[in-house]
Amino acid sequence: MTSATSETAQPIRVALLGCGTVGTQIVRLLTEQADDLTARVGGGIELVGIAVRRPNKHRDVPAELLTTDAAALVTRPDVDVVVEVIGGIEPTRGWLLAALNAGKSVVTANKALLAEHAGELFDAAGRSGADLYFEASVAGAIPLLRPLRESLAGDRITRVMGIVNGTTNFILSAMDETGAGYSETLDEASRLGYAEADPTADVDGFDAASKAAILASLAFHTRVTAGDVHREGISAVTSADFAAARALGRTIKLLAICERVRDADGQESVAVRVHPAMIPRSHPLAGVNGAFNAVFVEAEAAGQLMFYGPGAGGAPTASAVLGDLVAVARNRVVGGRGPRESAYADLPVRPIAQASTRYHISLDVADRAGVLAAVAAEFAQHEVSIAAVRQEGRANDASLVIVTHSAPDAALRSTVDKVAGLPFVHEVVSVMRVEGEES
Amino acid sequence: MTSATSETAQPIRVALLGCGTVGTQIVRLLTEQADDLTARVGGGIELVGIAVRRPNKHRDVPAELLTTDAAALVTRPDVDVVVEVIGGIEPTRGWLLAALNAGKSVVTANKALLAEHAGELFDAAGRSGADLYFEASVAGAIPLLRPLRESLAGDRITRVMGIVNGTTNFILSAMDETGAGYSETLDEASRLGYAEADPTADVDGFDAASKAAILASLAFHTRVTAGDVHREGISAVTSADFAAARALGRTIKLLAICERVRDADGQESVAVRVHPAMIPRSHPLAGVNGAFNAVFVEAEAAGQLMFYGPGAGGAPTASAVLGDLVAVARNRVVGGRGPRESAYADLPVRPIAQASTRYHISLDVADRAGVLAAVAAEFAQHEVSIAAVRQEGRANDASLVIVTHSAPDAALRSTVDKVAGLPFVHEVVSVMRVEGEES
């Protein structure tokens, strides 16, 4: 009955790079679940080395496994698979290339590296016949890359949209709930351990942009790098933005959006962007709070799919790494190979200025006749079509909220610049993209 | 840059069994996406035969591909892969066994067959080295089996709970919305095409039970068949049940629940059940309406994951089949094998009488002193602990609602039988399990 254990083989020997939050969990699970993993792989998994910066800081793992020489570890003849949870681009990139060139399969959680150098890594893996798996690089434990790479391999993915950064989602959820401003909420997030000491990678959208590049590459069979992603962070989101959103039954989320778009002449391209956006409170992503992640995938035949779960954390990330490790080890045991790079479509990446989205613009204006007509004329002149308007008087001035139909980024920016200069416009309170509604 | 197409090979030759709603979509997608599929597989996919009952009813597919002789088609030397979308157990089982024995890989959407005979099919695949994939058998296009089999292969899954039957979910959603009874809602569903002419498989929970067996087998590395699944359908769900649910902020869903349970002596077992249950309206599954499916997966390291999407339909099911077909074809081209059966854990299946769930019991009782005390005494005598009570007077009688803590099925049944016989209890209005809350 138990087919897997009948074919025992030499154990698969694993080198681990990094032993922080995620690495510690990997070591724990490798030990605690050794019997299960052996049965699932068809052979044991043996940890033969752990590269760390300061060995004396890791008293909870066997001392004889520790080394500071990652470069030597990754090409050691007794290593079959390299698991990397250090992060960062250099020197990690060189170590993983050396491992792949030496025929070691690689499992990595490194989104920044994948988003910049996936092509180079895949090329090395292709030459040596090694596997390259990276499920943990996006959305923690949520199985997302394997579904994109494999389950939907017979379909045409048109859109991927989701919340892929837990820190910013925690901050935006808290701002929505408390009405507090960005800075004080970031401070609170840092105090609670939800934001790093240097939160730049998260709050400026770099982390989400890396993940968006990885998702777009897989979804559209095209090499997309982090530099191709239009990126706006959350540091400019104000409590006024949230108040404006709330007034219209919306909330604000940092979204990663990857789209396949078709020009009038039929030419397909890919648009990838990360920015805060208002979404209706009824949208499933609106209910994704705190450090959770959720991603929508739309495909022509499958329709709309959603994946939800913890987007980070030691144990969830370790779960994703171990799932990949089992796959890689099983390929070694039974003699197979995981999916390789699929970049055949090679679609052009479209700049954000050409992308069309809807906008929510909130203005403080003088409360007198002709104001709406003048503002509307500016929109008309830039060919930005207005979908909804709401004006409310307040003492001497009025709040004017305009929601547009889908409009090019550039046209909207020019319109807002012009509107801001109108004499009776006191303040542009909030300009925010709108997603998750019919355009 | 385009790695996949560099290694062109002989096309992978596919036999299709069945050409109904799903089969027609498979033929369409194989044609429309031929170039993409070739690039992703690293070689072409060629449809070489389609087995149907009545060839003259299929004017939209090439006549020269049609045959009525499925048995001959599945072992034809020019067939590499058999795709089965006929359904049913016999004679399909024999055809797929013959195909696997002949070394043909099999992709199937057949939940009933898998839930009864997965072991036999896997054994045949194991002997001949063929692949067996069946993503489309559960939850349509939602990538669920691949995540369970592969992404979570390094984790310990503790629970799978979800809505896996679109017909019953459509009916229950409509009953909740309109307040109508079961029979008239079923009629309406049939009229709209959401229920089959003979809806037994759906409304009596057979379809969901098959899917639960497949999910439990993969999640717990144990052979679970449909007969192991405790099954209750929705035909006994009344508008009174929905009214009772609504009064407490709940709704009713048909849930498939697969649990890993541990006895007091540490012995692990598996409990699998399909039944209607009240869940809080705030639970994510409460918002899954109409023909959609959603499944929660809980794993020790990954935490709680959710998968959501269209659970049936021609195109979504075809998407899942084609994803499997690409995997199987790629394994043929690059020389690999998909995951085999993993049943090493071989856990015992625990009967429902031993399972503990919470219950919601709604009674019509006489409105006089001592009633609650007498009812509560019956619960106490059967050691069913009460979590909440709500009593409301109405003219001469009263409505008494009791929600229990987690209690064994058998104890609850005995309690309700005793309570129903009490002289001042006019009617047991509703007895329904409660899920999705802390126990």
Side-chain angles (χ1 to χ4, degrees), chain A residues 1-3 7 33 36 39-40 146 151 153-155 221 223 301-302 304-306 308 310 315-316 319 323 340-341 344, chain B residues 2-3 7 33 36 39-40 146 151 153-155 221 223 301-302 304-306 308 310 315-316 319 323 340-341 344:
Chain A
M1 293 293 164
T2 63
S3 59
E7 48 196 32
Q33 309 201 4
D36 281 316
R40 296 173 194 178
R146 189 172 270 104
S151 307
D155 207 331
H221 302 273
R223 283 188 181 178
Q304 196 175 64
L305 309 168
M306 188 175 87
Y308 170 90
S319 170
R340 310 183 192 183
E341 182 180 31
Y344 70 89
Chain B
T2 64
S3 59
E7 48 195 32
Q33 309 201 2
D36 281 316
R40 295 173 194 177
R146 190 172 268 104
S151 307
D155 207 331
H221 303 271
R223 282 189 180 177
Q304 196 175 63
L305 308 169
M306 187 175 88
Y308 170 90
S319 169
R340 311 184 189 183
E341 182 181 31
Y344 70 90

Side-chain angles (χ1 to χ4, degrees), chain A residues 262-289:
Chain A
R262 191 184 287 273
D263 295 347
D265 62 358
Q267 168 64 45
E268 281 200 326
S269 59
V270 166
V272 190
R273 51 205 167 91
V274 167
H275 54 69
M278 289 191 188
I279 58 173
R281 286 200 182 269
S282 59
H283 194 281
L285 290 178
V288 176
N289 288 321

Side-chain angles (χ1 to χ4, degrees), chain A residues 285-333:
Chain A
L285 290 178
V288 176
N289 288 321
F292 280 84
N293 282 189
V295 177
F296 272 86
V297 177
E298 290 174 29
E300 284 184 358
Q304 196 175 64
L305 309 168
M306 188 175 87
F307 303 80
Y308 170 90
T317 308
S319 170
V321 167
L322 282 188
D324 280 353
L325 179 56
V326 167
V328 161
R330 197 155 48 191
N331 288 343
R332 297 255 157 185
V333 170

Side-chain angles (χ1 to χ4, degrees), chain B residues 399-413:
Chain B
S399 156
L400 178 61
V401 172
I402 295 167
V403 180
T404 74
H405 284 296
S406 214
D409 202 77
L412 190 280
R413 298 283 150 194

Side-chain angles (χ1 to χ4, degrees), chain B residues 353 355-359 361 374-387 402-416 418-419 439:
Chain B
S356 281
T357 57
R358 306 184 69 199
Y359 287 87
I361 302 110
V375 169
E378 287 296 345
F379 278 82
Q381 196 161 356
H382 290 86
E383 297 190 339
V384 176
S385 172
I386 293 176
I402 295 167
V403 180
T404 74
H405 284 296
S406 214
D409 202 77
L412 190 280
R413 298 283 150 194
S414 316
T415 311
V416 171
K418 274 302 192 57
V419 165
S439 56

Side-chain angles (χ1 to χ4, degrees), chain A residues 365-378 391 400 422-425:
Chain A
V365 297
D367 192 7
R368 60 172 137 99
V371 168
L372 178 58
V375 169
E378 287 296 346
Q391 183 162 5
L400 178 60
L422 292 174
F424 46 77
V425 171

Side-chain angles (χ1 to χ4, degrees), chain A residues 6 39 41 50 62 80 84 106 139 165 181 203 258 308 361 386 397 436:
Chain A
S6 60
V41 167
I50 307 175
D80 302 305
E84 184 264 313
V106 165
N165 180 273
V203 299
C258 316
Y308 170 90
I361 302 109
I386 293 177
D397 56 2

